[in-house]
Amino acid sequence: MFNQISKEKSLQKALSVFNFAKENSAFYQDKYKTLPEISTYKTWLEVPILTKDELYNNSYPKSTRMLTLEMPLKKTIITSTGGSSGLARYTMLTYEEWDKFLKRQADALRLMGIQEEDVVANLFVAGSLWPSFIALHDNIRLIGATHLPISANIDFDEILRYIMEFKPTVLLSLPTVFVILADKILQQNLKVDFVKIIGYAGEHMSEMIRSHLRKAFGSSVKIESLAYTSADCGLIGYQCDSCASNEYHLPTDFQFVEFYNFEENRVCEPGETGEVLITNLERLSQPIIRYRIGDVAKWTGKACACGDKNPTFIIGGRAGDDFKIGGAYISMDVVEKSFSEYVSGHGISANYQFVLDDISGAKLKIVLRIESSNVEESRKLSENIKKNIEKNIDDIKVGEEMGLVILEVEFVELGELPRSPITGKVKRLNDKRVRG
């Protein structure tokens, strides 16, 4: 289903994109004007990295400098990144490029097990130029399955009514959306045993959330990533049945991928974690070359049991997802661990936000806000969760003892946490502290 080409052939395709961009894009002409001839992997490493700021400042409609197309635009689609990892930005693809992106994603959905016989509920947010909803419409059509274009723009009780009425076998959306549906299913004691696949994208699906969903949708439901994708680059990784939850195959004929150690300014060795750099091998209207996408990953360095020769890598999350207290960097996984044992009970949801803010007196205020379908009942566990945080994060406990940290646990009604107006995502970490 996915072709495999050697690293050398993939590099040659990347070099072709580089040369095309250097010749046809005003932005890349300036960016690369001092470079020597780039024709080998050794010289490829001299190609400067594309940053998010460069992409934002030079993308259409703010600028046409990255484009290789003549104006006015024809046969193109414009979408938005949503801005959950920074400023909202627009992506322009030709219809030919859009179709290539769609075909790869449809192939990844087939590998998940979605077939013509399935009834697929599309629960992504529609509108605001966000591409997921309309892209999945075309993906589902390419597979030949029945499509329920419900969206997540409507009230969740209405979404649940459609689900109970049409009994879809596949649900596709963000983890945030699935958590709210699971909360309501458990609250109403509904039997939803007809869903066989939950496909997610856009956010990390932790073990805590997986456990919560299985309690609502049944222990046999298959919870799979739709793929590792980017609006700018398309499909970056796809999963087979042998892949772990955060493990993906690289489509070598579609992307040239590097993992980079920015502290030492070098490409990572096999097994070493670094930031992901993407060069798309098909997008020529606005070439994406050595783009620092904001994720961290590493090569597994092993053959996959499925027999697919495309290499596998493990995603480690977003660069910057950790937060710093005292001299230590803390993973958000540690925060989840502090209340995961209570999720699905006492009305406690898996949707939460961890807020850090400087307040008067040079103090740090930390608030863990968790959604609940029964706030009064959930509050009975606030002190237990607070003690778990103090136990798991020693720097917080020490800070409290020194009078420098104030820690609170709050419960709010379902849907009350702030969400992106475009994507519907809950921002798990909200660090408001002033950074020097």
Side-chain angles (χ1 to χ4, degrees):
M1 192 174 293
F2 286 92
N3 295 327
Q4 185 269 333
I5 62 175
S6 67
K7 183 177 180 179
E8 291 72 23
K9 288 184 177 180
S10 187
L11 174 62
Q12 289 305 311
K13 293 185 72 171
L15 290 170
S16 294
V17 173
F18 167 85
N19 289 323
F20 181 85
K22 188 176 181 182
E23 183 176 339
N24 295 282
S25 164
F27 168 79
Y28 283 115
Q29 285 172 3
D30 288 344
K31 187 175 177 68
Y32 298 155
K33 62 184 177 182
T34 61
L35 287 180
E37 181 183 357
I38 306 297
S39 59
T40 64
Y41 181 64
K42 184 177 180 180
T43 55
W44 171 262
L45 298 178
E46 298 182 36
V47 175
I49 288 162
L50 179 65
T51 67
K52 286 184 180 293
D53 285 343
E54 286 178 314
L55 197 55
Y56 174 76
N57 289 321
N58 293 279
S59 290
Y60 184 83
K62 189 171 186 178
S63 170
T64 61
R65 297 191 74 248
M66 287 191 76
L67 299 183
T68 64
L69 302 175
E70 293 182 359
M71 301 298 289
L73 295 177
K74 300 175 183 177
K75 298 180 180 180
T76 55
I77 181 170
I78 298 170
T79 62
S80 172
T81 62
S84 60
S85 57
L87 292 169
R89 185 173 41 72
Y90 304 110
T91 296
M92 188 281 302
L93 297 169
T94 66
Y95 286 153
E96 182 180 3
E97 291 166 343
W98 176 257
D99 288 343
K100 288 178 179 179
F101 279 29
L102 291 176
K103 181 184 181 303
R104 303 299 176 123
Q105 182 66 66
D107 286 342
L109 296 182
R110 289 189 184 96
L111 280 179
M112 277 179 57
I114 301 177
Q115 304 170 347
E116 286 187 7
E117 296 79 15
D118 283 308
V119 177
V120 184
N122 183 351
L123 303 178
F124 277 89
V125 175
S128 300
L129 299 183
W130 204 43
S132 295
F133 187 83
I134 58 171
L136 278 169
H137 166 74
D138 287 339
N139 293 149
I140 296 164
R141 179 179 54 81
L142 287 172
I143 293 170
T146 297
H147 184 200
L148 299 177
I150 298 171
S151 90
N153 299 62
I154 61 177
D155 185 82
F156 277 90
D157 288 326
E158 189 74 359
I159 293 173
L160 193 54
R161 183 182 71 78
Y162 283 127
I163 289 173
M164 298 308 294
E165 183 174 3
F166 288 98
K167 295 181 170 46
T169 55
V170 180
L171 305 180
L172 305 178
S173 194
L174 299 166
T176 295
V177 171
F178 290 132
V179 168
I180 296 174
L181 287 174
D183 291 335
K184 289 185 172 294
I185 289 168
L186 292 171
Q187 182 185 36
Q188 299 175 37
N189 198 28
L190 299 175
K191 185 176 182 181
V192 188
D193 56 359
F194 43 82
V195 177
K196 70 174 187 178
I197 297 174
I198 290 176
Y200 67 91
E203 298 173 299
H204 175 57
M205 177 74 81
S206 67
E207 281 304 316
M208 178 183 74
I209 295 178
R210 288 172 186 271
S211 175
H212 186 52
L213 298 189
R214 289 194 174 101
K215 288 173 183 174
F217 293 96
S219 59
S220 63
V221 69
K222 185 179 180 183
I223 303 174
E224 298 280 351
S225 167
L226 293 181
Y228 173 37
T229 64
S230 156
D232 298 295
C233 306
L235 183 85
I236 303 168
Y238 61 92
Q239 293 188 315
C240 67
D241 287 339
S242 299
C243 285
S245 61
N246 59 344
E247 184 180 0
Y248 297 87
H249 284 276
L250 172 70
T252 50
D253 67 339
F254 193 59
Q255 311 281 5
F256 186 78
V257 171
E258 305 161 84
F259 303 143
Y260 203 83
N261 183 327
F262 277 92
E263 290 185 3
E264 300 181 14
N265 197 30
R266 61 174 177 81
V267 173
C268 292
E269 300 294 331
E272 179 185 3
T273 298
E275 287 201 46
V276 180
L277 303 182
I278 303 287
T279 300
N280 183 268
L281 304 179
E282 298 287 351
R283 187 180 178 192
L284 296 178
S285 61
Q286 181 180 307
I288 302 296
I289 302 170
R290 301 199 85 195
Y291 175 44
R292 186 178 183 178
I293 200 169
D295 296 323
V296 294
K298 65 179 179 180
W299 300 111
T300 66
K302 63 180 183 180
C304 186
C306 74
D308 189 333
K309 295 288 195 290
N310 276 322
T312 55
F313 59 93
I314 293 174
I315 288 289
R318 298 291 295 177
D321 265 356
D322 298 345
F323 59 94
K324 191 174 184 179
I325 294 181
Y329 282 96
I330 312 297
S331 168
M332 288 299 291
D333 290 340
V334 179
V335 176
E336 285 197 3
K337 184 180 178 183
S338 68
F339 72 98
S340 60
E341 64 184 290
Y342 304 118
V343 169
S344 305
H346 304 273
I348 296 177
S349 171
N351 275 337
Y352 70 95
Q353 187 174 74
F354 197 64
V355 184
L356 300 96
D357 198 5
D358 292 318
I359 59 175
S360 60
K363 292 182 180 181
L364 171 63
K365 184 175 182 179
I366 302 173
V367 183
L368 173 61
R369 305 181 72 215
I370 309 170
E371 291 188 345
S372 171
S373 62
N374 189 337
V375 172
E376 290 302 319
E377 182 68 19
S378 299
R379 282 175 180 158
K380 297 175 183 178
L381 292 169
S382 295
E383 195 61 31
N384 288 16
I385 294 171
K386 183 178 178 180
K387 288 179 180 177
N388 285 345
I389 295 173
E390 293 165 342
K391 178 182 176 182
N392 295 333
I393 307 175
D394 190 58
D395 287 270
I396 290 180
K397 182 179 180 181
V398 171
E400 284 182 299
E401 292 171 350
M402 296 175 66
L404 300 175
V405 174
I406 298 172
L407 173 64
E408 297 177 359
V409 176
E410 296 179 357
F411 288 95
V412 298
E413 298 292 338
L414 296 180
E416 190 171 316
L417 290 177
R419 287 165 167 78
S420 164
I422 297 177
T423 65
K425 296 179 185 177
V426 171
K427 188 177 182 182
R428 311 286 182 192
L429 174 62
N430 187 6
D431 194 341
K432 300 180 177 180
R433 294 175 292 179
V434 176
R435 290 192 171 88

